[in-house]
C-alpha cells in the first residue's frame, strides 16, 4: 500500500493489479491498473508513488513496472533482476528508480527509456537511501558496511564501515550533509558527507537504541526522531536525538 505525496490517492496492490483509490471522495475507486498477463499471478511486493505524484511503480517477482497516472498507461518495464525485488526507491526528481532484490544486487534505472544504468553487487537486501539532491545512493552490503555510489552511473564513492550487524535503515539529512545508518540490533551511526560523496572514515556520532529502527524523521539538519520496531513486547520506543548532543 502507498499514499500519494499530496495525500489524495491510495494505491493497493494484489495478485492481479493495482487499485487506485481517491481519499477525498468517500473512498471511491479512481482507477484499476492491470498487470501484464505474465505477471498477474505473482505477489506484488512493492508499490510506490513518485515524489511528484505523476507515476507509480510496482514490483512483481523479478520485474518492475512504471505507470503514468495521467494516461494510466505503462511507461517502463524494467527487466534484469534474477531474484525477487523487495525495495523500490524513486529519485527525488522522479527520473530514476533504484530497485533492490534477493539476487544480491541493487540496480539503477533510467525511467524515460527503461535503461539499466548500473548494477551494485553484494547488496544485502535490507536498506537503500538516496540523497535529497538525487546524486548519491547508499546501500547496505553483506559485509555490514554501507556502500555510497553515484546515481549517474553507479561509480563507487566510498564504503563506510562501522556496523557489525546487517544495516536495515539508511537516511540522509534534508541537505544531504549527514547520513544515518542503523543496523538490526539498534546501533545508529551518523556520518558526515562531503560534497564529493566521501564520508568520514569513522562515524561522527553513535547511539544504541533498544530495538531495530523502523522509521526516521529529520526535524531539521541537526535533529532527528527515531522509532524502533518494539521488539518482542511489540512496544515501540521513540528517540529524539541531536547531532550536537543537546536536544
Amino acid at each position: 500500500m502507498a499514499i500519494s505525496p499530496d495525500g489524495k490517492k491510495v494505491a493497493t496492490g494484489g495478485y492481479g493489479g493495482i487499485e487506485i483509490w481517491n481519499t477525498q471522495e468517500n473512498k471511491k475507486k479512481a482507477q484499476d491498473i492491470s498487470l501484464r498477463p505474465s505477471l498477474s499471478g505473482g505477489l506484488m511486493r512493492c508499490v510506490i508513488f513518485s515524489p511528484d505524484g505523476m507515476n507509480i511503480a510496482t514490483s512483481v517477482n523479478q520485474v518492475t513496472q512504471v505507470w503514468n497516472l495521467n494516461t494510466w498507461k505503462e511507461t517502463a518495464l524494467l527487466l534484469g533482476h534474477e531474484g525477487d525485488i523487495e525495495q523500490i526507491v524513486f529519485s527525488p526528481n522522479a527520473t530514476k528508480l533504484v530497485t533492490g532484490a534477493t539476487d544480491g544486487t541493487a540496480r539503477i534505472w533510467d525511467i524515460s527509456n527503461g535503461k539499466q544504468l548500473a548494477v551494485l553487487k553484494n547488496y544485502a537486501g535490507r536498506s537503500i537511501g538516496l540523497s535529497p539532491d538525487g546524486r548519491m545512493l547508499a546501500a547496505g552490503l553483506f559485509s555490514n558496511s554501507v556502500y555510497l555510489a553515484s546515481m549517474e552511473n553507479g561509480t563507487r564513492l566510498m564504503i563506510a564501515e562501522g556496523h557489525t550487524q546487517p544495516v536495515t535503515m539508511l537516511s540522509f539529512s534534508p541537505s544531504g550533509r549527514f547520513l544515518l545508518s542503523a543496523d538490526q540490533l539498534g546501533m545508529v551511526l551518523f556520518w558526515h558527507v562531503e560534497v564529493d560523496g566521501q564520508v568520514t572514515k569513522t562515524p561522527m556520532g553513535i547511539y544504541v537504541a533498544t530495538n531495530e529502527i523502523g522509521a526516521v524523521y529529520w526535524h531539521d539538519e541537526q535533529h532527528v526522531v527515531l522509532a524502533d520496531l518494539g521488539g518482542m513486547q511489540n512496544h515501540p520506543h521513540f528517540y529524539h536525538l541531536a547531532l550536537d548532543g543537546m536536544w
Side-chain angles (χ1 to χ4, degrees), residues 177-203:
R177 290 173 52 214
F178 304 109
L179 173 65
L180 177 154
S181 61
D183 64 36
Q184 67 180 14
L185 290 186
M187 176 177 284
V188 181
L189 303 181
F190 292 92
W191 311 85
H192 185 269
V193 182
E194 303 292 345
V195 175
D196 60 359
Q198 300 290 308
V199 302
T200 48
K201 291 186 177 180
T202 57

Side-chain angles (χ1 to χ4, degrees), residues 149-246:
S150 165
M151 277 289 288
E152 190 67 28
N153 53 23
T155 300
R156 188 180 81 175
L157 301 175
M158 189 173 181
I159 292 181
E161 299 178 323
H163 288 283
T164 60
Q165 298 292 322
V167 176
T168 56
M169 178 66 69
L170 290 164
S171 178
F172 284 89
S173 65
S175 73
R177 290 173 52 214
F178 304 109
L179 173 65
L180 177 154
S181 61
D183 64 36
Q184 67 180 14
L185 290 186
M187 176 177 284
V188 181
L189 303 181
F190 292 92
W191 311 85
H192 185 269
V193 182
E194 303 292 345
V195 175
D196 60 359
Q198 300 290 308
V199 302
T200 48
K201 291 186 177 180
T202 57
M204 56 178 287
I206 301 174
Y207 185 84
V208 180
T210 304
N211 301 292
E212 179 182 335
I213 299 300
V216 175
Y217 170 72
W218 287 88
H219 184 266
D220 55 35
E221 200 62 20
Q222 291 290 323
H223 303 89
V224 62
V225 180
L226 310 177
D228 71 26
L229 297 178
M232 295 295 292
Q233 302 299 321
N234 197 29
H235 187 282
H237 301 83
F238 304 96
Y239 311 87
H240 296 248
L241 307 180
L243 271 63
D244 59 9
M246 298 177 62

Side-chain angles (χ1 to χ4, degrees), residues 21-42:
W21 302 81
N22 191 321
T23 62
Q24 298 182 327
E25 296 181 6
N26 299 319
K27 299 183 179 179
K28 181 181 178 181
K29 192 184 299 184
Q31 184 73 22
D32 284 336
I33 299 177
S34 297
L35 298 176
R36 291 186 174 216
S38 60
L39 302 175
S40 60

